[in-house]
Amino acid sequence: MEILLSPLKIGKRVAPNRIVNQPMEGNDADEVGNPTELTCERYRNLAEGGAGIIFLEALTITQESRARKNQLGIYEKTAPRLEKLIKEMKDLNSESLILLQITHSGRQSAADFSRLVTIYPTGNPKAHILSPDEIEKISDDFVKAAVIAQQVGADGIDFKQCHGYLCAEMLRPANTRKDRFGGSFENRTYFFTETAKKMISAVGNNSFLLGVRFSIYEGIPGGFGTPGPEEVIEDLSEPLAFARLVEKAGFDYLNVSAGIPAITPEIVRPSKNYPEGVYRHFGWAKEVKKAVNLPVIGSGYSYLRDGDNDLKDLDPIKRSFTYWAEKNLRQGVCDFVGLGRQSLADPLFAKKILSGKTSEINYCLTCGGCSIQLRSQVQTGCVVFSEFYKKILKEIQKKQRNDIYRL
């Protein structure tokens, strides 16, 4: 684990190791979007875990349109509590870099408690198509969120462009708007480039990190990573051009994901139904790495565990996280390895890996329980290793059985 253990420069900062805790939503904020004690406990545990980079989950830039009923928010009202949370994390661990993922939910907004909006027509009459002025307002809100993240003590932000949310919707060829925000690749990336310019101007030329997590291939007709509005075949021409555009904009890193959890979950999260999806994630990261000189964060590593998975290599060692993390780092496939679900199963994962205590790790079983919780708009965490979240899942399942019985 020589390279996994090693530090690496990212922007003007240094991450102490190559493990990344990816953004994972807990849906446990208060009614305003402030972190609650449960939120703080989750992130204190992650801070103790000591990953090189720790992302705070998707923080909505507006309460008006959001995907989660109890989603964390980033605006003036939540700034004091966010500052307290980050201070608590840094008091426990001053070395890990703490970054906030900032987002607008777009068509993933839940219509029963927030305003459902979209970049282009969806066929849903309840979805409001955003006007150019409304899109410009959203751009300004992203810039404000970046400034707040800097003010509350974060080390940087992730300007979220993945998983079907508003910025990802903007990028895809299916966005055939007739104004400056749709149609050509230049128009579909206009929102990013203009917002990026404003962000860089607002946060100043310093050590505050700016980056992007994006879905390189969404797996839907006209999705990002296809060559046209009705195409489905994978074509990475535009995603790689976007990666180069992010670098040209002056950002500091790229975080490569894929798919849309609500629509193409097996692309996002490899499982026993599609274990080879891990290899696709490795390939996507490698293509981005070849296209840019920025540090690249790879995804798909939670499924590997200690080799107890459904990959076809006969040697369990060559199916494991430690094998593939070190191999991919050594061969330049990526610069950091990202873990999402595994950070819910064991927030101390990085600490245990780096200290050689791998036998003590609670490995994610990729059971999907946390996804059920998130879709059900309840507090979300590991249903295998936490009695608190296990009880919440049982309540969901009981309600579902009762609903079926009433039908």
Side-chain angles (χ1 to χ4, degrees):
M1 295 186 292
E2 177 185 347
I3 299 181
L4 192 64
L5 286 161
S6 66
L8 184 69
K9 186 177 181 182
I10 176 170
K12 295 181 180 179
R13 305 296 299 275
V14 175
N17 60 67
R18 307 297 187 89
I19 298 176
V20 173
N21 292 146
Q22 298 280 29
M24 296 295 291
E25 293 182 77
N27 195 33
D28 52 19
D30 67 15
E31 65 280 359
V32 178
N34 283 308
T36 61
E37 177 53 30
L38 181 58
T39 315
C40 295
E41 181 182 0
R42 287 194 294 114
Y43 284 110
R44 286 194 296 264
N45 289 337
L46 282 178
E48 186 181 347
I53 300 173
I54 302 171
F55 282 100
L56 265 66
E57 65 203 77
L59 286 83
T60 180
I61 61 171
T62 175
Q63 279 284 88
E64 182 181 58
S65 296
R66 63 193 195 281
R68 316 293 169 213
K69 189 172 183 179
N70 295 104
Q71 187 167 1
L72 282 178
I74 182 163
Y75 24 79
E76 287 83 356
K77 286 184 179 180
T78 63
R81 296 280 285 277
L82 287 174
E83 184 173 20
K84 180 176 180 291
L85 168 58
I86 292 169
K87 183 180 184 302
E88 289 178 359
M89 294 177 70
K90 287 184 174 289
D91 284 346
L92 288 167
N93 174 2
S94 61
E95 293 187 2
S96 296
L97 300 177
I98 300 172
L99 281 66
L100 311 186
Q101 185 179 71
I102 58 177
T103 189
H104 187 294
S105 295
R107 70 169 63 183
Q108 303 294 330
S109 302
D112 57 340
F113 57 77
S114 71
R115 186 184 187 215
L116 178 59
V117 300
T118 181
I119 295 297
Y120 59 90
T122 65
N124 183 350
K126 295 181 180 179
H128 169 72
I129 301 172
L130 293 163
S131 70
D133 287 346
E134 288 173 315
I135 293 173
E136 290 289 358
K137 169 66 165 54
I138 290 170
S139 174
D140 291 339
D141 287 343
F142 269 113
V143 176
K144 290 177 184 176
V147 171
I148 291 171
Q150 184 181 45
Q151 291 172 342
V152 300
D155 297 304
I157 58 103
D158 166 27
F159 184 13
K160 187 174 184 177
Q161 313 278 317
C162 62
H163 299 165
Y165 296 92
L166 183 132
C167 295
E169 183 185 352
M170 186 84 72
L171 293 174
R172 61 178 65 130
N175 170 18
T176 56
R177 287 178 68 109
K178 303 303 182 185
D179 57 22
R180 63 187 180 277
F181 297 109
S184 67
F185 177 73
E186 182 180 11
N187 283 3
R188 287 182 278 120
T189 56
Y190 175 81
F191 177 83
F192 170 78
T193 54
E194 291 303 305
T195 307
K197 288 177 186 176
K198 291 186 286 186
M199 276 186 185
I200 290 173
S201 175
V203 301
N205 182 21
N206 52 38
S207 60
F208 189 75
L209 300 174
L210 299 173
V212 158
R213 193 178 195 200
F214 74 108
S215 289
I216 193 168
Y217 174 66
E218 293 186 294
I220 61 171
F224 204 42
T226 66
E230 298 180 359
E231 302 296 331
V232 294
I233 295 174
E234 183 178 315
D235 182 335
L236 300 184
S237 302
E238 286 193 350
L240 296 180
F242 177 69
R244 289 188 287 267
L245 188 152
V246 171
E247 182 174 35
K248 184 179 178 182
F251 274 38
D252 300 298
Y253 69 88
L254 281 156
N255 192 348
V256 184
S257 187
I260 304 168
I263 302 173
T264 54
E266 294 293 340
I267 296 178
V268 185
R269 302 181 295 256
S271 72
K272 64 180 180 180
N273 297 323
Y274 182 40
E276 292 77 14
V278 171
Y279 300 145
R280 294 190 74 187
H281 276 278
F282 298 165
W284 287 322
K286 183 177 181 179
E287 291 303 308
V288 174
K289 183 63 184 168
K290 289 192 297 185
V292 300
N293 292 313
L294 295 178
V296 171
I297 302 169
S299 297
Y301 289 86
S302 287
Y303 179 70
L304 296 169
R305 303 193 282 271
D306 56 353
D308 182 15
N309 56 52
D310 293 288
L311 292 173
K312 302 306 182 282
D313 197 303
L314 296 178
D315 184 348
I317 292 175
K318 293 183 179 179
R319 300 197 300 263
S320 69
F321 167 81
T322 49
Y323 173 82
W324 278 105
E326 188 70 13
K327 175 181 172 69
N328 287 345
L329 292 170
R330 189 176 298 278
Q331 294 184 350
V333 170
C334 57
D335 300 288
F336 294 93
V337 293
L339 296 149
R341 294 168 290 175
Q342 179 57 55
S343 68
L344 294 182
D346 194 341
L348 302 183
F349 174 84
K351 183 177 183 179
K352 293 174 182 178
I353 281 283
L354 299 173
S355 63
K357 297 179 180 179
T358 55
S359 62
E360 298 178 9
I361 294 172
N362 293 327
Y363 281 104
C364 172
L365 303 183
T366 65
C367 66
C370 53
S371 297
I372 294 172
Q373 290 173 317
L374 200 61
R375 290 196 301 270
S376 301
Q377 297 291 345
V378 298
Q379 295 160 324
T380 301
C382 182
V383 302
V384 176
F385 298 110
S386 167
E387 291 300 321
F388 175 79
Y389 293 111
K390 187 182 296 184
K391 181 179 179 181
I392 291 174
L393 179 63
K394 288 179 179 179
E395 290 171 353
I396 294 170
Q397 293 169 332
K398 181 180 179 181
K399 181 179 184 302
Q400 290 173 340
R401 288 193 296 268
N402 289 340
D403 289 344
I404 292 171
Y405 177 78
R406 282 194 290 270
L407 289 174

